[in-house]
Amino acid sequence: MASALKIYNHTICPYAQRAMITLKELKLDYEVVEIDPGNQPAWYKEKVNPQNKIPALDVGNNTILIESLVISEYLAEVHKDKAQLLPADPLEKAKLKIFIENFGNTVTPLFYRAVRGTDEEAPAIIESFINSLKGVNNQLLTQSKEGPYYLGSQFSLADVALAPFVGRFFLLEALKGGSIPNTPELARFHQWKEALIDRQSFKDTFAEKQWFIDEFTRRFNIKK
């Protein structure tokens, strides 16, 4: 019997990995259709996502959802009996979404700028990137001093949404020779990072590190 859910995915895409992690955490049945973001077939834009972006989720009944956070939140709400990925309290849910939004507006752009920047640009960008992680560290401490996840012992949508990006931070060292210092002011961040990349749903939706190194180098014409 065919699965009711069909996810359009590509391993290179951290946004697609968000949706994939959600599906894994909720232990749902689904079909995967791989779409190369650099060479999408014409039918994808025409019949699946007019924005021509990945991921997209076909939920049946001629309904397709787009945008990774929309997909993940929808699945979390519909299948909350399988895993509690969202806080029940509306205020805590709002704070969780703000954390995701702030990370996406500050940390993520700096990471990609550092990885794709020239050797001359990279050091200054990496410094700004590390400073942004100190802010993340403080936010994590405010939310839960014990950890290891954003909500403490509970794995949540904040972890789902940001694990794909945190899991790619190794590229900073692999491609630019930079590193995230293991200092006390980043201790809570490192605890969180290790918990995210050690999560089985992350491992199941990730590829070998060398694959990412090769793909980033090729797609973004990075000079190592």
Side-chain angles (χ1 to χ4, degrees):
M1 182 177 177
S3 170
L5 298 174
K6 182 185 293 184
I7 181 77
Y8 295 87
N9 174 64
H10 194 279
T11 307
I12 194 70
C13 178
Y15 299 99
Q17 192 183 6
R18 280 178 172 172
M20 293 294 291
I21 290 174
T22 307
L23 289 163
K24 290 284 185 182
E25 288 289 333
L26 296 171
K27 297 179 172 57
L28 300 175
D29 292 327
Y30 56 91
E31 176 187 349
V32 180
V33 179
E34 290 291 331
I35 301 292
D36 185 343
N39 187 30
Q40 288 103 322
W43 58 261
Y44 184 73
K45 182 175 183 179
E46 294 168 4
K47 297 181 179 180
V48 179
N49 187 351
Q51 296 182 24
N52 214 26
K53 297 192 297 185
I54 301 167
L57 180 71
D58 188 335
V59 298
N61 297 319
N62 297 313
T63 303
I64 295 177
L65 301 180
I66 61 174
E67 300 297 335
S68 60
L69 279 178
V70 172
I71 291 169
S72 292
E73 186 171 354
Y74 164 79
L75 291 171
E77 291 282 9
V78 171
H79 301 284
K80 63 179 67 175
D81 58 314
K82 296 181 181 294
Q84 192 70 37
L85 294 178
L86 286 166
D89 180 76
L91 180 58
E92 289 304 314
K93 188 184 297 185
K95 287 162 62 178
L96 180 149
K97 291 181 180 180
I98 290 170
F99 178 68
I100 296 171
E101 184 76 10
N102 286 343
F103 191 102
N105 288 335
T106 56
V107 179
T108 302
L110 286 169
F111 165 69
Y112 280 100
R113 281 181 58 204
V115 169
R116 298 173 67 174
T118 65
D119 290 343
E120 292 74 21
E121 297 169 333
I125 301 172
I126 291 171
E127 183 178 357
S128 296
F129 168 71
I130 291 170
N131 284 334
S132 73
L133 292 182
K134 293 175 183 176
V136 171
N137 189 88
N138 291 337
Q139 292 171 58
L140 288 168
L141 282 172
T142 298
Q143 186 62 39
S144 170
K145 287 183 171 61
E146 295 77 18
Y149 302 116
Y150 170 75
L151 289 177
S153 61
Q154 179 188 347
F155 188 78
S156 72
L157 189 65
D159 308 303
V160 169
L162 302 178
F165 298 94
V166 173
R168 286 160 173 75
F169 286 173
F170 76 92
L171 289 165
L172 196 66
E173 182 172 0
L175 299 177
K176 291 299 174 181
S179 62
I180 302 171
N182 206 345
T183 57
E185 57 193 344
L186 286 170
R188 179 67 175 88
F189 165 77
H190 279 289
Q191 178 201 37
W192 181 55
K193 175 177 74 71
E194 292 304 316
L196 296 184
I197 64 177
D198 195 47
R199 188 84 177 181
Q200 192 61 49
S201 59
F202 175 83
K203 294 178 180 178
D204 289 345
T205 56
F206 204 60
E208 294 292 329
K209 287 185 175 182
Q210 189 59 50
W211 183 87
F212 280 101
I213 293 169
D214 294 342
E215 283 294 296
F216 266 66
T217 301
R218 179 179 67 83
R219 289 174 183 271
F220 302 131
N221 195 28
I222 295 171
K223 301 294 190 295
K224 292 189 286 182

